[in-house]
Amino acid sequence: MKPSSIIPPAAVGNNPMVSEMYGLKLTAPVQLAVMELLCFFKRQSVDQGGLGRFGHLKNFVSIMWPKYKWNPWSEWMLEEACENDYLGLAGCAASGKTYGITLYAMVWWACAPASSSVVLTSTTSKMIRKRQWSALQELRMQSAGFPGNMVDSKTTLQASKGDDKHGIFAQAVAEGPVEQAVANIQGIHAPRMLVIVDEATDTPEAIFNATENLKKGTTEFQLIVIGNPNSYFDPHGRFCEPVNGWKSISVENESWKTKNGICLHFDGNKTPNFKSVGGKVPYPYLIAPDQVYESRKTMGEDTVEYWKFTRGFWAPEGALSTTVLNEPLCVKFHTMDGATFSNQPIKLAGLDPAFGGDRCILRIAELGKSPEGITTLKFGKVYQLKIAAQSTDPATYQIAKQTIDICNNEDVPPEHLGVDSTGNGVGVCDVLAATWSHKIKRVCFGGAASQTPASGLDNRPSNDVYKNKVTELWFSFREWVMADQIRGLDPDTIKEFCSRHFTDVGRKKEVESKRDMKDRIRSSPDLADAASIVVDVARQLGSSGILKGAGTGEWNTFVERANKIYDNGIEEVETV
């Protein structure tokens, strides 16, 4: 890169003209600010006579923003940004993550604006203007002449007027069609690309896929992901996952290696403001000790909100949770791990029919015995069935045909298939019974809970424990998880189980309605519903999820009895 390709800032104090410095000798003098940017671009190391990338960034900031006040967190954050192409930031509220990284983005872009693009994303246009765009505007106004053409209506800072290819672009990604947001991001491409995903916990997964595609054909690419930790399995959690797994770190870790880079953890309990001077906090814009104390008092240290916004870390298993599952439980009980069987497993399937926009999900699983003698359910393929609008066959027949074909290919007999018979699912069940077999298992999500024992350790009838059938189905899945008997579960399904709230009503548990859940999370829990159906099929086959220590003969007896029962057309068996 030639120094002339850098857009020089306005002449300011402490910005003399130089031609030889930091191990570089230029043919013509340039402003000191331009020299600092050139060294930042070239990553001029100490061995080469420079200060390292972060050293030159700090010098440029001192020239462009002479009143900028550093703090230990901002220095740490920007130094790591200078060294890592993939950087995750997980932290409490008021830790300066968004502001600090916006400053970094401006310096990163300014060193080669005519060949660089920065994409700043947040969930909505309102949040874009409240967060990154507001920070960028403030920093530009406080600068000593930061370059670029500001187009506020487009939330864009162009390299030059009319240039929509090179600049800093702020994009909302979680309002309106996701496809449009993806197209907007993919339309921005330059030799140098920096993507910063703010509010990553609520950012659609498709956006992450789109940003990775931007890497193709670039000479420099960097991805920075920011969020207040919420879930191991949302996009932010997946990006920040330790290379050695979640069990390898705790809230006391300040940083850790990830699959592609590093994650920094900003803990409110370790705020730099604890080092007050004369009773005054040194950094008013960072979380203060009195705010930490107040959050402990009002939220409580055993709440998810306290861990998310004060500790800046993923809530532990012991934190109060009002969802059917939580991520620490899923990690603790190995739900995503694979499974091996000491016997020949049997195939099961669960179908959640859908009409009117929800996904129609058919999922396959294997039920067998682990080497330790534990009945284990290993989830496998997930099929999303499609309804062809142009077909002359009714939707119920289309779903039934696809289900039969897949089950036959997967070696799932009809008596091992469970189908949601609620609402329009009744029609699908009727077609399957008429065209395939009456032995399919009808699983009704509506109505009262059953008389089946609540779990392998709780012999009370389910209707004494659960308010209704859907709660029984979802909590039965939870019981299998806590018995360490679920394997092969995918992150999206786990996220659905970890998103459904429940309450205790008259000493009975009751999950929130599907309508309320859909309104809250903007999607239907079809994957989790289908998984719950599979567990219910296993229960109806006679497995309560507690076949621990059973020998091969006992397992074979279980399978033989199940087959005989279906041969006689009987649908329920007593618990083995």
Side-chain angles (χ1 to χ4, degrees), residues 398-442:
Q398 293 185 50
I399 293 173
K401 184 179 186 307
Q402 293 177 67
T403 300
I404 294 169
D405 289 344
I406 292 171
C407 285
N408 285 334
N409 289 334
E410 292 280 359
D411 295 323
V412 178
E415 57 267 29
H416 291 174
L417 168 68
V419 184
D420 179 7
S421 60
T422 311
N424 291 325
V426 173
V428 176
C429 287
D430 290 343
V431 174
L432 285 168
T435 61
W436 194 28
S437 173
H438 69 280
K439 296 179 181 179
I440 63 167
K441 306 300 295 176
R442 296 177 186 248

mmCIF file of all heavy atoms in Angstrom, residues 398-442:
data_model
loop_
_atom_site.group_PDB
_atom_site.id
_atom_site.type_symbol
_atom_site.label_atom_id
_atom_site.label_comp_id
_atom_site.label_asym_id
_atom_site.label_seq_id
_atom_site.Cartn_x
_atom_site.Cartn_y
_atom_site.Cartn_z
ATOM 1 N N GLN A 398 -49.587 -35.967 1.354
ATOM 2 C CA GLN A 398 -48.191 -35.696 1.009
ATOM 3 C C GLN A 398 -47.268 -35.977 2.199
ATOM 4 O O GLN A 398 -46.212 -36.605 2.056
ATOM 5 C CB GLN A 398 -48.025 -34.235 0.571
ATOM 6 C CG GLN A 398 -48.723 -33.887 -0.740
ATOM 7 C CD GLN A 398 -48.404 -32.458 -1.165
ATOM 8 O OE1 GLN A 398 -47.248 -32.049 -1.211
ATOM 9 N NE2 GLN A 398 -49.438 -31.696 -1.475
ATOM 10 N N ILE A 399 -47.681 -35.507 3.377
ATOM 11 C CA ILE A 399 -46.871 -35.734 4.580
ATOM 12 C C ILE A 399 -46.795 -37.224 4.898
ATOM 13 O O ILE A 399 -45.730 -37.758 5.218
ATOM 14 C CB ILE A 399 -47.454 -34.956 5.770
ATOM 15 C CG1 ILE A 399 -47.294 -33.450 5.532
ATOM 16 C CG2 ILE A 399 -46.760 -35.357 7.071
ATOM 17 C CD1 ILE A 399 -47.979 -32.594 6.576
ATOM 18 N N ALA A 400 -47.926 -37.911 4.791
ATOM 19 C CA ALA A 400 -47.965 -39.344 5.096
ATOM 20 C C ALA A 400 -47.053 -40.124 4.151
ATOM 21 O O ALA A 400 -46.301 -41.009 4.580
ATOM 22 C CB ALA A 400 -49.396 -39.859 5.006
ATOM 23 N N LYS A 401 -47.097 -39.794 2.854
ATOM 24 C CA LYS A 401 -46.272 -40.529 1.886
ATOM 25 C C LYS A 401 -44.790 -40.328 2.155
ATOM 26 O O LYS A 401 -44.007 -41.293 2.142
ATOM 27 C CB LYS A 401 -46.605 -40.085 0.460
ATOM 28 C CG LYS A 401 -45.844 -40.886 -0.604
ATOM 29 C CD LYS A 401 -46.204 -40.440 -2.004
ATOM 30 C CE LYS A 401 -45.544 -41.342 -3.053
ATOM 31 N NZ LYS A 401 -44.082 -41.478 -2.864
ATOM 32 N N GLN A 402 -44.385 -39.084 2.399
ATOM 33 C CA GLN A 402 -42.974 -38.831 2.685
ATOM 34 C C GLN A 402 -42.540 -39.556 3.957
ATOM 35 O O GLN A 402 -41.433 -40.114 4.031
ATOM 36 C CB GLN A 402 -42.735 -37.325 2.843
ATOM 37 C CG GLN A 402 -42.923 -36.524 1.551
ATOM 38 C CD GLN A 402 -42.741 -35.031 1.794
ATOM 39 O OE1 GLN A 402 -41.647 -34.567 2.094
ATOM 40 N NE2 GLN A 402 -43.815 -34.273 1.672
ATOM 41 N N THR A 403 -43.408 -39.569 4.959
ATOM 42 C CA THR A 403 -43.089 -40.226 6.221
ATOM 43 C C THR A 403 -42.900 -41.732 6.028
ATOM 44 O O THR A 403 -41.937 -42.324 6.529
ATOM 45 C CB THR A 403 -44.206 -39.974 7.249
ATOM 46 O OG1 THR A 403 -44.326 -38.561 7.476
ATOM 47 C CG2 THR A 403 -43.907 -40.681 8.565
ATOM 48 N N ILE A 404 -43.805 -42.336 5.279
ATOM 49 C CA ILE A 404 -43.706 -43.776 5.021
ATOM 50 C C ILE A 404 -42.427 -44.110 4.273
ATOM 51 O O ILE A 404 -41.704 -45.057 4.620
ATOM 52 C CB ILE A 404 -44.939 -44.264 4.231
ATOM 53 C CG1 ILE A 404 -46.197 -44.122 5.092
ATOM 54 C CG2 ILE A 404 -44.753 -45.707 3.780
ATOM 55 C CD1 ILE A 404 -47.494 -44.332 4.318
ATOM 56 N N ASP A 405 -42.120 -43.331 3.244
ATOM 57 C CA ASP A 405 -40.914 -43.577 2.443
ATOM 58 C C ASP A 405 -39.651 -43.480 3.304
ATOM 59 O O ASP A 405 -38.754 -44.330 3.229
ATOM 60 C CB ASP A 405 -40.829 -42.586 1.282
ATOM 61 C CG ASP A 405 -41.878 -42.856 0.208
ATOM 62 O OD1 ASP A 405 -42.458 -43.967 0.210
ATOM 63 O OD2 ASP A 405 -42.134 -41.953 -0.613
ATOM 64 N N ILE A 406 -39.572 -42.425 4.128
ATOM 65 C CA ILE A 406 -38.382 -42.227 4.962
ATOM 66 C C ILE A 406 -38.267 -43.336 6.010
ATOM 67 O O ILE A 406 -37.194 -43.898 6.236
ATOM 68 C CB ILE A 406 -38.411 -40.840 5.629
ATOM 69 C CG1 ILE A 406 -38.254 -39.750 4.571
ATOM 70 C CG2 ILE A 406 -37.314 -40.717 6.685
ATOM 71 C CD1 ILE A 406 -38.476 -38.338 5.096
ATOM 72 N N CYS A 407 -39.385 -43.668 6.659
ATOM 73 C CA CYS A 407 -39.353 -44.722 7.678
ATOM 74 C C CYS A 407 -38.939 -46.057 7.083
ATOM 75 O O CYS A 407 -38.165 -46.814 7.694
ATOM 76 C CB CYS A 407 -40.720 -44.841 8.359
ATOM 77 S SG CYS A 407 -41.059 -43.504 9.533
ATOM 78 N N ASN A 408 -39.422 -46.359 5.894
ATOM 79 C CA ASN A 408 -39.016 -47.599 5.233
ATOM 80 C C ASN A 408 -37.522 -47.594 4.927
ATOM 81 O O ASN A 408 -36.819 -48.592 5.131
ATOM 82 C CB ASN A 408 -39.830 -47.813 3.960
ATOM 83 C CG ASN A 408 -41.253 -48.268 4.249
ATOM 84 O OD1 ASN A 408 -41.521 -48.867 5.295
ATOM 85 N ND2 ASN A 408 -42.168 -47.990 3.339
ATOM 86 N N ASN A 409 -37.019 -46.462 4.452
ATOM 87 C CA ASN A 409 -35.591 -46.357 4.149
ATOM 88 C C ASN A 409 -34.734 -46.415 5.407
ATOM 89 O O ASN A 409 -33.590 -46.894 5.378
ATOM 90 C CB ASN A 409 -35.300 -45.048 3.396
ATOM 91 C CG ASN A 409 -35.829 -45.072 1.969
ATOM 92 O OD1 ASN A 409 -35.979 -46.139 1.373
ATOM 93 N ND2 ASN A 409 -36.126 -43.899 1.423
ATOM 94 N N GLU A 410 -35.274 -45.915 6.516
ATOM 95 C CA GLU A 410 -34.534 -45.885 7.782
ATOM 96 C C GLU A 410 -34.771 -47.130 8.629
ATOM 97 O O GLU A 410 -34.272 -47.226 9.751
ATOM 98 C CB GLU A 410 -34.934 -44.640 8.589
ATOM 99 C CG GLU A 410 -34.489 -43.314 7.980
ATOM 100 C CD GLU A 410 -33.033 -43.016 8.268
ATOM 101 O OE1 GLU A 410 -32.372 -43.820 8.961
ATOM 102 O OE2 GLU A 410 -32.550 -41.974 7.794
ATOM 103 N N ASP A 411 -35.556 -48.077 8.095
ATOM 104 C CA ASP A 411 -35.872 -49.315 8.827
ATOM 105 C C ASP A 411 -36.621 -49.044 10.132
ATOM 106 O O ASP A 411 -36.371 -49.676 11.173
ATOM 107 C CB ASP A 411 -34.602 -50.122 9.126
ATOM 108 C CG ASP A 411 -33.926 -50.625 7.848
ATOM 109 O OD1 ASP A 411 -34.657 -50.981 6.909
ATOM 110 O OD2 ASP A 411 -32.684 -50.635 7.803
ATOM 111 N N VAL A 412 -37.542 -48.080 10.089
ATOM 112 C CA VAL A 412 -38.403 -47.793 11.234
ATOM 113 C C VAL A 412 -39.763 -48.431 10.974
ATOM 114 O O VAL A 412 -40.478 -48.021 10.058
ATOM 115 C CB VAL A 412 -38.579 -46.282 11.455
ATOM 116 C CG1 VAL A 412 -39.540 -46.021 12.631
ATOM 117 C CG2 VAL A 412 -37.239 -45.604 11.694
ATOM 118 N N PRO A 413 -40.148 -49.441 11.732
ATOM 119 C CA PRO A 413 -41.457 -50.053 11.524
ATOM 120 C C PRO A 413 -42.564 -49.111 12.011
ATOM 121 O O PRO A 413 -42.315 -48.223 12.835
ATOM 122 C CB PRO A 413 -41.387 -51.317 12.393
ATOM 123 C CG PRO A 413 -40.410 -50.982 13.467
ATOM 124 C CD PRO A 413 -39.398 -50.075 12.837
ATOM 125 N N PRO A 414 -43.786 -49.280 11.511
ATOM 126 C CA PRO A 414 -44.867 -48.358 11.893
ATOM 127 C C PRO A 414 -45.118 -48.307 13.387
ATOM 128 O O PRO A 414 -45.458 -47.253 13.927
ATOM 129 C CB PRO A 414 -46.074 -48.894 11.120
ATOM 130 C CG PRO A 414 -45.718 -50.289 10.723
ATOM 131 C CD PRO A 414 -44.240 -50.301 10.548
ATOM 132 N N GLU A 415 -44.940 -49.420 14.074
ATOM 133 C CA GLU A 415 -45.191 -49.426 15.510
ATOM 134 C C GLU A 415 -44.146 -48.653 16.314
ATOM 135 O O GLU A 415 -44.309 -48.424 17.511
ATOM 136 C CB GLU A 415 -45.257 -50.861 16.050
ATOM 137 C CG GLU A 415 -44.031 -51.697 15.797
ATOM 138 C CD GLU A 415 -44.135 -52.510 14.514
ATOM 139 O OE1 GLU A 415 -44.836 -52.053 13.584
ATOM 140 O OE2 GLU A 415 -43.519 -53.594 14.447
ATOM 141 N N HIS A 416 -43.066 -48.222 15.651
ATOM 142 C CA HIS A 416 -42.044 -47.419 16.314
ATOM 143 C C HIS A 416 -42.102 -45.953 15.891
ATOM 144 O O HIS A 416 -41.189 -45.190 16.178
ATOM 145 C CB HIS A 416 -40.651 -47.972 16.025
ATOM 146 C CG HIS A 416 -40.387 -49.295 16.671
ATOM 147 N ND1 HIS A 416 -39.239 -50.023 16.450
ATOM 148 C CD2 HIS A 416 -41.134 -50.037 17.531
ATOM 149 C CE1 HIS A 416 -39.288 -51.152 17.137
ATOM 150 N NE2 HIS A 416 -40.439 -51.180 17.806
ATOM 151 N N LEU A 417 -43.157 -45.575 15.185
ATOM 152 C CA LEU A 417 -43.342 -44.189 14.764
ATOM 153 C C LEU A 417 -44.391 -43.514 15.641
ATOM 154 O O LEU A 417 -45.513 -44.021 15.787
ATOM 155 C CB LEU A 417 -43.796 -44.119 13.299
ATOM 156 C CG LEU A 417 -44.300 -42.745 12.816
ATOM 157 C CD1 LEU A 417 -43.152 -41.725 12.773
ATOM 158 C CD2 LEU A 417 -44.973 -42.859 11.446
ATOM 159 N N GLY A 418 -44.036 -42.379 16.226
ATOM 160 C CA GLY A 418 -44.992 -41.564 16.978
ATOM 161 C C GLY A 418 -45.360 -40.337 16.165
ATOM 162 O O GLY A 418 -44.507 -39.732 15.503
ATOM 163 N N VAL A 419 -46.628 -39.957 16.197
ATOM 164 C CA VAL A 419 -47.113 -38.819 15.412
ATOM 165 C C VAL A 419 -47.967 -37.920 16.302
ATOM 166 O O VAL A 419 -48.842 -38.414 17.037
ATOM 167 C CB VAL A 419 -47.948 -39.282 14.202
ATOM 168 C CG1 VAL A 419 -48.352 -38.081 13.342
ATOM 169 C CG2 VAL A 419 -47.183 -40.300 13.366
ATOM 170 N N ASP A 420 -47.725 -36.632 16.235
ATOM 171 C CA ASP A 420 -48.554 -35.670 16.966
ATOM 172 C C ASP A 420 -49.968 -35.705 16.383
ATOM 173 O O ASP A 420 -50.180 -35.357 15.218
ATOM 174 C CB ASP A 420 -47.950 -34.274 16.837
ATOM 175 C CG ASP A 420 -48.781 -33.200 17.545
ATOM 176 O OD1 ASP A 420 -49.746 -33.561 18.233
ATOM 177 O OD2 ASP A 420 -48.452 -32.014 17.383
ATOM 178 N N SER A 421 -50.911 -36.108 17.201
ATOM 179 C CA SER A 421 -52.294 -36.235 16.726
ATOM 180 C C SER A 421 -53.158 -35.049 17.145
ATOM 181 O O SER A 421 -54.384 -35.117 17.113
ATOM 182 C CB SER A 421 -52.910 -37.530 17.268
ATOM 183 O OG SER A 421 -52.921 -37.524 18.687
ATOM 184 N N THR A 422 -52.503 -33.954 17.524
ATOM 185 C CA THR A 422 -53.226 -32.755 17.926
ATOM 186 C C THR A 422 -53.640 -31.958 16.693
ATOM 187 O O THR A 422 -52.871 -31.826 15.747
ATOM 188 C CB THR A 422 -52.346 -31.872 18.831
ATOM 189 O OG1 THR A 422 -51.762 -32.661 19.853
ATOM 190 C CG2 THR A 422 -53.158 -30.744 19.441
ATOM 191 N N GLY A 423 -54.842 -31.411 16.692
ATOM 192 C CA GLY A 423 -55.294 -30.547 15.599
ATOM 193 C C GLY A 423 -55.269 -31.237 14.261
ATOM 194 O O GLY A 423 -55.816 -32.344 14.086
ATOM 195 N N ASN A 424 -54.589 -30.608 13.287
ATOM 196 C CA ASN A 424 -54.522 -31.170 11.937
ATOM 197 C C ASN A 424 -53.730 -32.473 11.887
ATOM 198 O O ASN A 424 -53.790 -33.204 10.896
ATOM 199 C CB ASN A 424 -53.902 -30.154 10.969
ATOM 200 C CG ASN A 424 -54.808 -28.970 10.724
ATOM 201 O OD1 ASN A 424 -56.030 -29.114 10.687
ATOM 202 N ND2 ASN A 424 -54.225 -27.785 10.564
ATOM 203 N N GLY A 425 -52.973 -32.760 12.965
ATOM 204 C CA GLY A 425 -52.226 -34.013 12.995
ATOM 205 C C GLY A 425 -53.118 -35.231 12.981
ATOM 206 O O GLY A 425 -52.693 -36.325 12.580
ATOM 207 N N VAL A 426 -54.378 -35.055 13.408
ATOM 208 C CA VAL A 426 -55.322 -36.173 13.384
ATOM 209 C C VAL A 426 -55.467 -36.707 11.965
ATOM 210 O O VAL A 426 -55.485 -37.931 11.730
ATOM 211 C CB VAL A 426 -56.697 -35.733 13.932
ATOM 212 C CG1 VAL A 426 -57.720 -36.841 13.742
ATOM 213 C CG2 VAL A 426 -56.577 -35.349 15.397
ATOM 214 N N GLY A 427 -55.561 -35.792 11.000
ATOM 215 C CA GLY A 427 -55.716 -36.206 9.599
ATOM 216 C C GLY A 427 -54.529 -36.985 9.102
ATOM 217 O O GLY A 427 -54.675 -37.988 8.381
ATOM 218 N N VAL A 428 -53.324 -36.552 9.486
ATOM 219 C CA VAL A 428 -52.117 -37.263 9.067
ATOM 220 C C VAL A 428 -52.106 -38.662 9.677
ATOM 221 O O VAL A 428 -51.780 -39.648 9.002
ATOM 222 C CB VAL A 428 -50.852 -36.481 9.478
ATOM 223 C CG1 VAL A 428 -49.594 -37.278 9.132
ATOM 224 C CG2 VAL A 428 -50.806 -35.119 8.792
ATOM 225 N N CYS A 429 -52.467 -38.758 10.950
ATOM 226 C CA CYS A 429 -52.526 -40.069 11.613
ATOM 227 C C CYS A 429 -53.517 -40.999 10.907
ATOM 228 O O CYS A 429 -53.237 -42.188 10.694
ATOM 229 C CB CYS A 429 -52.931 -39.903 13.075
ATOM 230 S SG CYS A 429 -51.636 -39.200 14.118
ATOM 231 N N ASP A 430 -54.661 -40.467 10.547
ATOM 232 C CA ASP A 430 -55.683 -41.282 9.881
ATOM 233 C C ASP A 430 -55.185 -41.797 8.538
ATOM 234 O O ASP A 430 -55.407 -42.967 8.187
ATOM 235 C CB ASP A 430 -56.968 -40.471 9.692
ATOM 236 C CG ASP A 430 -57.688 -40.188 11.005
ATOM 237 O OD1 ASP A 430 -57.387 -40.874 11.999
ATOM 238 O OD2 ASP A 430 -58.542 -39.280 11.036
ATOM 239 N N VAL A 431 -54.502 -40.939 7.793
ATOM 240 C CA VAL A 431 -53.980 -41.357 6.486
ATOM 241 C C VAL A 431 -52.895 -42.409 6.668
ATOM 242 O O VAL A 431 -52.847 -43.413 5.932
ATOM 243 C CB VAL A 431 -53.442 -40.147 5.690
ATOM 244 C CG1 VAL A 431 -52.772 -40.616 4.391
ATOM 245 C CG2 VAL A 431 -54.562 -39.168 5.380
ATOM 246 N N LEU A 432 -51.996 -42.203 7.638
ATOM 247 C CA LEU A 432 -50.942 -43.192 7.897
ATOM 248 C C LEU A 432 -51.541 -44.531 8.306
ATOM 249 O O LEU A 432 -51.083 -45.591 7.873
ATOM 250 C CB LEU A 432 -50.010 -42.682 8.998
ATOM 251 C CG LEU A 432 -49.012 -41.591 8.602
ATOM 252 C CD1 LEU A 432 -48.376 -40.978 9.839
ATOM 253 C CD2 LEU A 432 -47.932 -42.155 7.680
ATOM 254 N N ALA A 433 -52.578 -44.492 9.145
ATOM 255 C CA ALA A 433 -53.222 -45.728 9.580
ATOM 256 C C ALA A 433 -53.900 -46.442 8.419
ATOM 257 O O ALA A 433 -53.872 -47.680 8.325
ATOM 258 C CB ALA A 433 -54.240 -45.426 10.676
ATOM 259 N N ALA A 434 -54.483 -45.684 7.503
ATOM 260 C CA ALA A 434 -55.210 -46.272 6.378
ATOM 261 C C ALA A 434 -54.284 -46.769 5.279
ATOM 262 O O ALA A 434 -54.551 -47.793 4.642
ATOM 263 C CB ALA A 434 -56.196 -45.248 5.808
ATOM 264 N N THR A 435 -53.179 -46.061 5.045
ATOM 265 C CA THR A 435 -52.298 -46.401 3.918
ATOM 266 C C THR A 435 -51.052 -47.175 4.314
ATOM 267 O O THR A 435 -50.359 -47.704 3.452
ATOM 268 C CB THR A 435 -51.859 -45.119 3.183
ATOM 269 O OG1 THR A 435 -51.123 -44.281 4.092
ATOM 270 C CG2 THR A 435 -53.056 -44.356 2.641
ATOM 271 N N TRP A 436 -50.772 -47.252 5.598
ATOM 272 C CA TRP A 436 -49.557 -47.955 6.042
ATOM 273 C C TRP A 436 -49.882 -48.966 7.138
ATOM 274 O O TRP A 436 -49.857 -50.167 6.906
ATOM 275 C CB TRP A 436 -48.520 -46.949 6.523
ATOM 276 C CG TRP A 436 -47.137 -47.526 6.674
ATOM 277 C CD1 TRP A 436 -46.596 -48.565 6.000
ATOM 278 C CD2 TRP A 436 -46.120 -47.059 7.579
ATOM 279 N NE1 TRP A 436 -45.307 -48.798 6.400
ATOM 280 C CE2 TRP A 436 -44.974 -47.873 7.365
ATOM 281 C CE3 TRP A 436 -46.050 -46.034 8.521
ATOM 282 C CZ2 TRP A 436 -43.791 -47.691 8.079
ATOM 283 C CZ3 TRP A 436 -44.861 -45.852 9.222
ATOM 284 C CH2 TRP A 436 -43.748 -46.665 9.007
ATOM 285 N N SER A 437 -50.194 -48.479 8.340
ATOM 286 C CA SER A 437 -50.468 -49.403 9.433
ATOM 287 C C SER A 437 -51.194 -48.678 10.561
ATOM 288 O O SER A 437 -50.885 -47.523 10.883
ATOM 289 C CB SER A 437 -49.172 -50.000 9.969
ATOM 290 O OG SER A 437 -49.412 -50.767 11.130
ATOM 291 N N HIS A 438 -52.120 -49.392 11.196
ATOM 292 C CA HIS A 438 -52.813 -48.842 12.359
ATOM 293 C C HIS A 438 -51.947 -48.886 13.605
ATOM 294 O O HIS A 438 -52.343 -48.383 14.665
ATOM 295 C CB HIS A 438 -54.102 -49.641 12.620
ATOM 296 C CG HIS A 438 -53.837 -51.035 13.104
ATOM 297 N ND1 HIS A 438 -53.488 -52.060 12.247
ATOM 298 C CD2 HIS A 438 -53.826 -51.563 14.361
ATOM 299 C CE1 HIS A 438 -53.296 -53.163 12.962
ATOM 300 N NE2 HIS A 438 -53.499 -52.896 14.239
ATOM 301 N N LYS A 439 -50.744 -49.460 13.496
ATOM 302 C CA LYS A 439 -49.876 -49.617 14.655
ATOM 303 C C LYS A 439 -49.064 -48.362 14.995
ATOM 304 O O LYS A 439 -48.306 -48.361 15.963
ATOM 305 C CB LYS A 439 -48.918 -50.791 14.429
ATOM 306 C CG LYS A 439 -49.616 -52.147 14.312
ATOM 307 C CD LYS A 439 -48.599 -53.252 14.075
ATOM 308 C CE LYS A 439 -49.288 -54.613 13.936
ATOM 309 N NZ LYS A 439 -48.317 -55.694 13.676
ATOM 310 N N ILE A 440 -49.189 -47.313 14.177
ATOM 311 C CA ILE A 440 -48.469 -46.078 14.507
ATOM 312 C C ILE A 440 -48.911 -45.587 15.879
ATOM 313 O O ILE A 440 -50.014 -45.884 16.337
ATOM 314 C CB ILE A 440 -48.711 -44.979 13.453
ATOM 315 C CG1 ILE A 440 -50.194 -44.590 13.429
ATOM 316 C CG2 ILE A 440 -48.221 -45.390 12.081
ATOM 317 C CD1 ILE A 440 -50.489 -43.322 12.665
ATOM 318 N N LYS A 441 -48.056 -44.845 16.541
ATOM 319 C CA LYS A 441 -48.358 -44.333 17.865
ATOM 320 C C LYS A 441 -48.892 -42.903 17.775
ATOM 321 O O LYS A 441 -48.191 -42.009 17.320
ATOM 322 C CB LYS A 441 -47.101 -44.341 18.735
ATOM 323 C CG LYS A 441 -46.403 -45.685 18.821
ATOM 324 C CD LYS A 441 -47.292 -46.763 19.399
ATOM 325 C CE LYS A 441 -47.644 -46.473 20.823
ATOM 326 N NZ LYS A 441 -48.612 -47.497 21.359
ATOM 327 N N ARG A 442 -50.105 -42.698 18.188
ATOM 328 C CA ARG A 442 -50.699 -41.354 18.218
ATOM 329 C C ARG A 442 -50.312 -40.687 19.534
ATOM 330 O O ARG A 442 -50.607 -41.207 20.608
ATOM 331 C CB ARG A 442 -52.213 -41.437 18.075
ATOM 332 C CG ARG A 442 -52.664 -42.002 16.724
ATOM 333 C CD ARG A 442 -54.184 -42.140 16.677
ATOM 334 N NE ARG A 442 -54.618 -42.810 15.465
ATOM 335 C CZ ARG A 442 -55.309 -42.226 14.491
ATOM 336 N NH1 ARG A 442 -55.689 -40.961 14.619
ATOM 337 N NH2 ARG A 442 -55.664 -42.913 13.421
#
